[in-house]
Amino acid sequence: VGRVEVLALEELAQCRDDRAVLAASARFGSNLRAERARQGLSQGDLARLAGLHPTEISRLERAVRDPRLSTLV
């Protein structure tokens, strides 16, 4: 296997990894929104409880921003 082929395989693996991260972020956001709604909380309510800005809750729910480990813990 030549160097170009190895680089191409690495790029494909990275694309798969990127898609997996995007899919996980989308699932997290969807689950976050569903649980927030189930508990009858607004984004502002959840933001206050979590110590975040309401914009961050919106970004997490829309998978525009990946959650930090410190946010999840």
Side-chain angles (χ1 to χ4, degrees):
V1 177
R3 179 166 167 70
V4 171
E5 292 155 333
V6 169
L7 291 175
L9 290 172
E10 289 173 355
E11 283 184 27
L12 283 174
Q14 182 63 41
C15 287
R16 276 196 295 271
D17 291 346
D18 290 347
R19 285 193 300 264
V21 168
L22 290 174
S25 292
R27 279 192 310 275
F28 175 82
S30 179
N31 290 340
L32 179 64
R33 178 178 285 141
E35 184 61 23
R36 177 180 60 75
R38 188 184 73 73
Q39 293 191 24
L41 298 171
S42 68
Q43 288 181 344
D45 294 335
L46 180 57
R48 278 186 292 284
L49 290 170
L52 298 171
H53 193 276
T55 302
E56 289 301 304
I57 300 298
S58 174
R59 288 178 181 154
L60 290 168
E61 288 184 351
R62 293 180 291 126
V64 172
R65 179 184 178 284
D66 294 330
R68 291 185 212 130
L69 182 57
S70 61
T71 302
L72 299 174
V73 176

